[in-house]
């Protein structure tokens, strides 16, 4: 027996050509139950798109929020990444960082807005990421404040270079960020070194708040893994989608 139409979701895979990156970029787009092209929808853009869908189970979580908690239906866009060059694209010291920011803001956003009925104000866009994906999401908001003001950060990798950039900002009163970090993330090894993610996120929170940003911050028992982030995703999504 098939699901009733109103329970069905759709996940579309698309590919666009990026002039900035000089390569194709794959996208996964979640269309909510009851999707109708004559309506308009809030949209969540995710770094590490494949992992958000496969390990974060964001499509399943979205359906539960919409059907069980009466959240307004929303669209999700997962932007996939080549893990081999992930740090080069997501970290502010990466050699593909500026090109990736330009690709996201100047190519991916227009592509989605041309093809799907997503809302086009920064208050109706959420940009989400885990670890370095959280960092690059914040950098996108800093670089394109006309496009993004809402950032969902799961154990953001806010390296010293990011904090230096934040320290130069004077007014972030337009920024609204939801941050979560696991208390067992005090000695996490990355491809650039070993970091205390708890202290890193505490320091970043202080920088953001001192410059007027709205920060929703929580620390929970958890490690730098999707098992932790998946559990925290619903609360982070609700923070923005309940407003």
């Amino acid at each position: 027996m098939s699901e009733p139409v109103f329970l069905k979701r759709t996940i579309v895979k698309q590919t666009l050509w990026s002039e900035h990156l000089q390569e194709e970029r794959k996208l996964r787009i979640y269309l909510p139950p009851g999707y109708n092209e004559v309506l308009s929808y809030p949209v969540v853009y995710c770094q590490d798109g494949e992992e958000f869908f496969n390990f974060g189970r964001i499509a399943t979580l979205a359906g539960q929020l919409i059907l069980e908690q009466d959240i307004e239906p929303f669209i999700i866009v997962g932007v996939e990444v080549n893990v081999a060059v992930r740090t080069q694209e997501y970290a502010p010291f990466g050699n593909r960082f500026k090109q990736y920011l330009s690709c996201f803001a100047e190519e991916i956003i227009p592509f989605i807005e041309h093809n799907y009925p997503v809302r086009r104000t920064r208050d109706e866009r959420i940009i989400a990421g885990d670890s370095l994906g959280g960092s690059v999401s914040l950098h996108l908001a800093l670089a394109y404040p006309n496009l993004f003001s809402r950032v969902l950060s799961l154990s953001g990798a806010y390296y010293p270079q990011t904090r230096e950039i934040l320290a130069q900002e004077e007014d972030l009163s337009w920024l609204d960020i939801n941050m979560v970090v696991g208390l067992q993330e005090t000695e996490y090894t990355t491809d650039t070194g070993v970091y205390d993610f708890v202290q890193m996120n505490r320091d970043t929170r202080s920088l953001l708040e001192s410059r007027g940003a709205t920060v929703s911050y929580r620390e929970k028992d958890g490690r730098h893994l999707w098992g932790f982030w998946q559990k925290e995703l619903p609360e982070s999504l609700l923070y923005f989608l309940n407003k």
Side-chain angles (χ1 to χ4, degrees), residues 51-210:
E51 293 199 349
F52 260 88
F53 277 88
N54 291 345
F55 304 134
R57 298 179 67 242
I58 192 169
T60 298
L61 296 174
Q64 291 172 348
L65 293 177
I66 292 165
L67 297 170
E68 297 173 12
Q69 300 206 36
D70 201 29
I71 295 301
E72 181 181 15
F74 59 99
I75 287 173
I76 302 166
V77 178
V79 181
E80 298 190 8
V81 67
N82 178 354
V83 176
V85 296
R86 181 177 183 268
T87 297
Q88 299 306 319
E89 291 186 354
Y90 285 6
F93 48 79
N95 60 19
R96 293 164 61 95
F97 177 70
K98 291 182 179 177
Q99 295 94 320
Y100 180 72
L101 294 189
S102 298
C103 167
F104 204 104
E106 299 169 20
E107 295 174 329
I108 293 172
I109 299 296
F111 177 84
I112 293 298
E113 293 185 349
H114 177 74
N115 289 287
Y116 297 93
V118 296
R119 296 181 190 154
R120 303 185 179 198
T121 65
R122 67 180 188 177
D123 290 341
E124 299 282 2
R125 298 185 191 100
I126 301 164
I127 187 165
D130 63 284
S131 194
L132 263 181
S135 171
V136 77
S137 294
L138 176 58
H139 281 286
L140 274 163
L142 295 175
Y144 295 92
N146 59 316
L147 292 179
F148 307 109
S149 64
R150 293 181 157 191
V151 176
L152 191 164
S153 170
L154 305 168
S155 304
Y158 300 113
Y159 294 154
Q161 292 88 341
T162 294
R163 299 201 299 277
E164 289 168 10
I165 290 169
L166 279 177
Q168 296 171 15
E169 296 285 337
E170 295 181 359
D171 180 11
L172 294 176
S173 58
W174 52 270
L175 180 67
D176 191 355
I177 183 168
N178 183 281
M179 304 171 69
V180 62
V181 66
L183 288 168
Q184 285 70 51
E185 297 186 58
T186 52
E187 293 183 36
Y188 185 75
T189 302
T190 76
D191 57 352
T192 60
V194 180
Y195 295 94
D196 181 343
F197 272 73
V198 178
Q199 193 60 51
M200 187 188 293
N201 276 263
R202 287 174 180 171
D203 292 345
T204 301
R205 174 194 185 182
S206 295
L207 277 167
L208 290 165
E209 289 182 335
S210 69

Side-chain angles (χ1 to χ4, degrees), residues 3-9 33-34 67:
E3 287 184 297
V5 171
F6 71 88
L7 290 178
K8 286 189 175 180
R9 70 184 190 198
L67 297 170

